[in-house]
Amino acid sequence: MAALFISDLHIDASRPAITEQFLGFLAAEAKDADALYILGDLFESWVGDDAADAAQTAVIEGLRSLTSQGVPCFVMHGNRDFLLSEHFCRMSGAELLPDPLIVTLYGEPVLVMHGDALCSDDRAYQRLRATVRESAWQRQFLALSIASRRALAGAARVGSQAHTAAVEYAITDVNADSVATALRRAGTATLLHGHTHRPAIHALEVDGRPCTRIVLGDWYDQGSLLRWDHNGPALESLPRL
């Protein structure tokens, strides 16, 4: 038995192979887990709990099947699906987690985050992140028609891709001082996050104490999984058949 961690699936109707692989994962590896944690960007975009499309609905049904078998599923907001809310939880059986959060895994406290807040060198993105998480902005957005919300989300996606292409590679990665600050505040020796799509296990020091930063990968070309059991954490790739 193990706790499983994934992130950055970016489920979208234009990427049916990801949806198919994820549904297979839910029906196989995930059903034997102690718990499944999804650390953000399960969906490429989420414009409201009232607007799920066919691919998103299939994923929700897959999650419902998993949770109905007694496997707890926890979902954290990402930068793409920060509008996931209570109705999504009722439909899927999943529980939304705050970001950041300390989770105790087999006796070890671990700081878990989506990871976008750590990319503090990207100041333009951090300003946008703060704006779209304001309750007033979200109320105004959700008051629009579903068609309008989808159009705006599509435009935002194009803008995000252009921004990422225009800035330096290092700017879109985490900031070392932000990582150290997060670990210092949490008082943990391990940080686990997604968002950057750069899976790895990094050793570092914070105030003279050894720490570890674990990064989850995306699911664009294959699945990416962290399995954490009594022997500790291990990153795994899930080949796409």
Side-chain angles (χ1 to χ4, degrees), residues 183-234:
L183 284 165
R184 189 178 295 119
R185 288 175 176 170
T188 66
T190 303
L191 166 63
L192 171 59
H193 70 84
H195 180 65
T196 63
H197 301 191
R198 303 170 190 181
I201 298 179
H202 303 276
L204 64 151
E205 282 194 2
V206 176
D207 302 331
R209 63 189 178 98
C211 293
T212 303
R213 179 170 69 92
I214 305 173
V215 189
L216 301 171
D218 62 60
W219 283 53
Y220 287 144
D221 299 313
Q222 62 183 1
S224 181
L225 166 71
L226 181 81
R227 185 183 305 273
W228 196 309
D229 60 19
H230 291 286
N231 296 316

Side-chain angles (χ1 to χ4, degrees), residues 46-69:
W46 187 263
V47 299
D49 284 6
D50 59 339
D53 62 21
Q56 294 166 337
T57 298
V59 166
I60 290 169
E61 291 172 352
L63 290 171
R64 167 57 71 181
S65 177
L66 180 70
T67 56
S68 67
Q69 295 177 68

Side-chain angles (χ1 to χ4, degrees), residues 7-232:
S7 71
D8 301 286
L9 289 89
H10 295 271
I11 296 289
D12 187 77
S14 66
R15 303 187 186 108
I18 299 178
T19 303
E20 182 180 356
Q21 183 177 20
F22 182 55
L23 292 176
F25 166 80
L26 292 177
E29 292 98 326
K31 68 181 179 60
D32 296 320
D34 285 334
L36 173 64
Y37 293 83
I38 304 172
L39 300 187
D41 285 355
L42 171 61
F43 299 109
E44 174 68 12
S45 67
W46 187 263
V47 299
D49 284 6
D50 59 339
D53 62 21
Q56 294 166 337
T57 298
V59 166
I60 290 169
E61 291 172 352
L63 290 171
R64 167 57 71 181
S65 177
L66 180 70
T67 56
S68 67
Q69 295 177 68
V71 179
C73 180
F74 304 98
V75 178
M76 187 172 280
H77 287 142
N79 54 295
R80 302 281 188 169
D81 52 13
F82 54 86
L83 288 172
L84 290 168
S85 193
E86 290 82 4
H87 186 56
F88 164 78
C89 293
R90 289 194 294 271
M91 292 188 293
S92 64
E95 178 181 342
L96 282 174
L97 297 178
D99 179 3
L101 179 70
I102 296 175
V103 177
T104 300
L105 299 170
Y106 307 101
E108 180 176 348
V110 177
L111 175 63
V112 297
M113 307 176 68
H114 175 55
D116 58 332
L118 300 169
C119 300
S120 51
D121 291 327
D122 191 346
R123 296 177 181 176
Y125 169 72
Q126 294 301 329
R127 289 192 295 270
L128 175 63
R129 183 182 190 275
T131 296
V132 300
R133 281 163 173 74
E134 292 176 352
S135 57
W137 184 94
Q138 293 187 2
R139 283 196 302 271
Q140 291 177 351
F141 181 80
L142 292 172
L144 300 173
S145 68
I146 291 175
S148 295
R149 282 181 261 156
R150 286 178 173 159
L152 288 171
R157 186 190 318 188
V158 172
S160 174
Q161 291 169 344
H163 172 72
T164 300
V167 300
E168 295 181 14
Y169 183 79
I171 290 176
T172 61
D173 203 355
V174 299
N175 173 278
D177 290 338
S178 295
V179 168
T181 297
L183 284 165
R184 189 178 295 119
R185 288 175 176 170
T188 66
T190 303
L191 166 63
L192 171 59
H193 70 84
H195 180 65
T196 63
H197 301 191
R198 303 170 190 181
I201 298 179
H202 303 276
L204 64 151
E205 282 194 2
V206 176
D207 302 331
R209 63 189 178 98
C211 293
T212 303
R213 179 170 69 92
I214 305 173
V215 189
L216 301 171
D218 62 60
W219 283 53
Y220 287 144
D221 299 313
Q222 62 183 1
S224 181
L225 166 71
L226 181 81
R227 185 183 305 273
W228 196 309
D229 60 19
H230 291 286
N231 296 316

